[in-house]
Amino acid sequence: MRILKNLCKDKLAMTSLITIVVMIVIGTLAPLFAPHNPEEVNMKLRYATSSWEYLLGNDHLGRCILSRLIYGIRPSVLWVLVALMISVLIGAVIGFIAGYFRGKTDTLIMRICDIMLSFPGYVMTLAVVGILGAGLENILIAFVVMKWAWFARVIRTSVMQYSEMDYVKFAKASGISNLRIIYKHIVPVTFSDIAVISSGSICSMILQISGLSFLGLGIQAPHAEWGMMLNEARGVMFSKPELMLAPGLAIVIVVSAFNFLSDALQVSLDPKLMTSKGKLQEKEVKPTTYEYIRS
């Protein structure tokens, strides 16, 4: 409730949150919101302009662009969120083990993470997709393989910081089990760091899955996906630019919303940033004593 209350003070953050929630609801209930079957081919309506029946027009196969845009939310956003949650879960478990117990366990885990992080993200993704083949499932596997090590390293640093606090040391000296200490004392304080890095990573993952689909390595026809819709429309990008406008704007809006929400979460979850931001706004709004007397 405190986080939501802090977010309500930021209009841009609330707009971004509402945009994301609406997008998720529409994608989850796509059959209810989509006016037509996104895979239905009608060559009579090939490159038809917008009308009351087809608000965004039709593509090169006469398919409804609006319906494909709505169904494209599932692979472009919803399934990416699933891959993100799996990556965060794996990274959090490994990061907590390495950061709390340290010693040889920490050294072994960090060396594995170093090996994973030594490869550029896109190269690692392309390697996994090249081995397993194109398709949504293989891209999601590539995301999990690529991201867990980064989450583990970041979360491990946060856990090491909080595990040195006096109340954690007191809990250890009191004979409380390690699992209970982690659950009761460390997980709540590291949640803010996990939330911020997760909301920031979703943007790069959405762009990556759209980019891979644009290159033909992601979602395969006839399924709808925003990157693939851009690829299908690039042949007529100069004569019919509106075909690229809808999926392009959808990607920009979603990525921007997650970016703005990530910044707002970082401020609302960190009391220091919130205090400094409030002082800065107060300094900008309130006049100085000299200006007050002069007026």
Side-chain angles (χ1 to χ4, degrees):
M1 291 301 293
R2 180 182 63 85
I3 299 173
L4 186 59
K5 185 178 179 180
N6 293 335
L7 287 177
C8 290
K9 299 177 182 178
D10 191 338
K11 294 181 180 179
L12 184 58
M14 283 305 299
T15 304
S16 302
L17 180 61
I18 292 172
T19 301
I20 293 170
V21 171
V22 170
M23 192 78 68
I24 291 175
V25 171
I26 292 175
T28 306
L29 304 175
L32 298 179
F33 289 96
H36 302 279
N37 185 350
E39 300 176 8
E40 183 181 355
V41 177
N42 188 351
M43 295 305 292
K44 294 180 180 179
L45 297 174
R46 188 170 184 262
Y47 292 130
T49 57
S50 59
S51 60
W52 287 112
E53 187 177 1
Y54 298 93
L55 294 178
L56 296 180
N58 303 77
D59 62 6
H60 64 293
L61 295 177
R63 297 172 297 190
C64 177
I65 294 178
L66 178 59
S67 300
R68 293 183 64 77
L69 199 68
I70 292 173
Y71 272 86
I73 297 174
R74 291 180 172 183
S76 300
V77 180
L78 299 185
W79 283 111
V80 173
L81 284 172
V82 172
L84 176 68
M85 287 189 289
I86 295 174
S87 303
V88 171
L89 181 61
I90 296 173
V93 171
I94 295 175
F96 272 99
I97 293 173
Y100 184 81
F101 294 102
R102 305 189 184 184
K104 295 181 179 180
T105 304
D106 178 33
T107 303
L108 176 62
I109 291 175
M110 286 303 103
R111 295 297 77 79
I112 297 174
C113 290
D114 290 339
I115 294 173
M116 298 298 297
L117 294 173
S118 63
F119 299 97
Y122 277 101
V123 174
M124 192 72 172
T125 305
L126 289 172
V128 175
V129 172
I131 294 172
L132 301 179
L136 175 62
E137 298 83 359
N138 297 334
I139 290 181
L140 297 179
I141 293 173
F143 282 161
V144 174
V145 171
M146 180 182 65
K147 289 289 184 180
W148 73 265
W150 185 77
F151 285 121
R153 178 170 284 279
V154 174
I155 294 170
R156 171 245 188 193
T157 304
S158 181
V159 171
M160 290 181 68
Q161 175 187 354
Y162 290 111
S163 61
E164 290 297 324
M165 295 293 181
D166 292 336
Y167 63 88
V168 176
K169 293 180 179 179
F170 179 78
K172 291 180 181 178
S174 301
I176 300 175
S177 65
N178 292 324
L179 187 62
R180 185 173 177 82
I181 293 174
I182 292 173
Y183 175 73
K184 281 285 187 181
H185 299 295
I186 300 181
V187 170
V189 292
T190 56
F191 175 75
S192 59
D193 298 333
I194 296 173
V196 170
I197 61 175
S198 300
S199 59
S201 298
I202 187 67
C203 303
S204 62
M205 296 173 72
I206 292 174
L207 292 175
Q208 284 182 23
I209 194 170
S210 299
L212 290 171
S213 297
F214 180 81
L215 296 174
L217 299 175
I219 312 301
Q220 301 299 305
H223 303 294
E225 199 277 331
W226 294 344
M228 190 177 66
M229 291 175 68
L230 288 173
N231 184 27
E232 293 173 345
R234 66 176 178 171
V236 291
M237 62 183 298
F238 295 109
S239 59
K240 297 185 179 297
E242 65 274 9
L243 295 181
M244 300 191 73
L245 186 63
L249 277 177
I251 295 173
V252 171
I253 290 172
V254 171
V255 172
S256 300
F258 276 110
N259 266 322
F260 291 137
L261 183 62
S262 175
D263 294 339
L265 274 175
Q266 186 175 8
V267 174
S268 62
L269 290 171
D270 193 335
K272 296 179 182 178
L273 292 176
M274 191 122 188
T275 304
S276 62
K277 184 179 178 183
K279 289 181 178 179
L280 181 62
Q281 290 177 348
E282 185 179 355
K283 185 177 180 181
E284 291 176 350
V285 173
K286 285 188 175 181
T288 60
T289 306
Y290 173 75
E291 291 174 342
Y292 181 77
I293 296 174
R294 186 179 179 184
S295 62

